[in-house]
């Protein structure tokens, strides 16, 4: 499988994204997440830059994580300011970090989107291997079921 970080959910069909989950959680739907992007709810100056992680088998999407480059911790409902301060005390940058999440929502739900457990395992392993290309301090997945 190959991987790709997407800068917009509009770059893939909604049917492909939504086929990766059971439709029970509206916050991970293509319509909701792409709506946040399209209507200006996610802006770089607010600390939200879409970087959705995707896993492909040829031309077929087999896994995805809604993801964002974060330059602050606003809108996450996780208070990791102590980590940012610890990094700063050691002369390191905590931001940007990568976040797998639903923006502005502490609602628990699936974040590793795939049809099968084996694909979710591959997705997580592939994310770990792909993160260096983003040059982030760390990766987080918030409120996963």
């Amino acid at each position: 499988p190959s991987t790709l970080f997407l800068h917009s959910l509009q770059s893939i069909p909604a049917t492909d994204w939504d086929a990766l989950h059971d439709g029970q959680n509206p916050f991970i739907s293509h319509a909701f997440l792409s709506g946040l992007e399209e209507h200006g709810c996610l802006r770089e100056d607010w600390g939200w830059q879409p970087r959705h992680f995707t896993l492909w088998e040829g031309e077929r999407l087999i896994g995805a994580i809604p993801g964002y480059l974060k330059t602050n911790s606003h809108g996450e409902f996780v208070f990791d300011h102590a980590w940012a301060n610890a990094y700063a005390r050691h002369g390191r940058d905590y931001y940007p970090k990568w976040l797998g999440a639903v923006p502005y929502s502490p609602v628990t739900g699936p974040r590793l989107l795939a049809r099968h457990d084996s694909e979710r395992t591959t997705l997580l392993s592939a994310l770990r291997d792909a993160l260096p290309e983003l040059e982030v301090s760390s990766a987080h997945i918030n409120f996963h079921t």
Side-chain angles (χ1 to χ4, degrees), residues 4-14 16-17 30 34 37-38 50 52 54 56 61:
L4 184 64
F5 285 100
L6 302 177
H7 294 245
S8 170
L9 213 49
Q10 291 302 308
S11 58
I12 60 171
D16 292 354
W17 180 273
H30 190 281
S34 64
E37 293 175 15
E38 288 177 58
H52 307 294
T54 57
W56 302 83
L61 181 66

Side-chain angles (χ1 to χ4, degrees), residues 9 12-37 52 61 64-68 100-103 105 107-114 120 141-145:
L9 213 49
I12 60 171
T15 53
D16 292 354
W17 180 273
D18 290 336
L20 299 176
H21 61 90
D22 64 10
Q24 297 298 307
N25 187 311
F27 297 105
I28 58 167
S29 71
H30 190 281
F32 181 79
L33 294 171
S34 64
L36 292 175
E37 293 175 15
H52 307 294
L61 181 66
I65 305 172
Y68 305 89
V102 173
S105 173
V107 176
T108 300
R111 301 295 183 261
L112 307 177
L113 310 181
R120 278 185 278 282
I141 297 180
N142 287 359
F143 305 109
H144 180 61
T145 308

Side-chain angles (χ1 to χ4, degrees), residues 28-74:
I28 58 167
S29 71
H30 190 281
F32 181 79
L33 294 171
S34 64
L36 292 175
E37 293 175 15
E38 288 177 58
H39 298 287
C41 298
L42 304 176
R43 298 181 1 198
E44 185 174 347
D45 60 326
W46 290 350
W48 292 93
Q49 297 175 63
R51 291 298 184 280
H52 307 294
F53 185 69
T54 57
L55 183 66
W56 302 83
E57 194 168 80
E59 298 292 316
R60 187 170 76 92
L61 181 66
I62 62 170
I65 305 172
Y68 305 89
L69 278 182
K70 292 288 293 162
T71 55
N72 60 43
S73 295
H74 301 294

Side-chain angles (χ1 to χ4, degrees), residues 102-126:
V102 173
Y104 307 113
S105 173
V107 176
T108 300
R111 301 295 183 261
L112 307 177
L113 310 181
R115 292 173 192 85
H116 309 289
D117 286 341
S118 63
E119 291 166 338
R120 278 185 278 282
T121 300
T122 302
L123 181 66
L124 203 51
S125 182

Side-chain angles (χ1 to χ4, degrees), residues 128-139:
R128 182 192 61 228
D129 294 342
L131 280 167
E133 77 182 65
L134 292 181
E135 298 180 0
V136 294
S137 70
S138 53

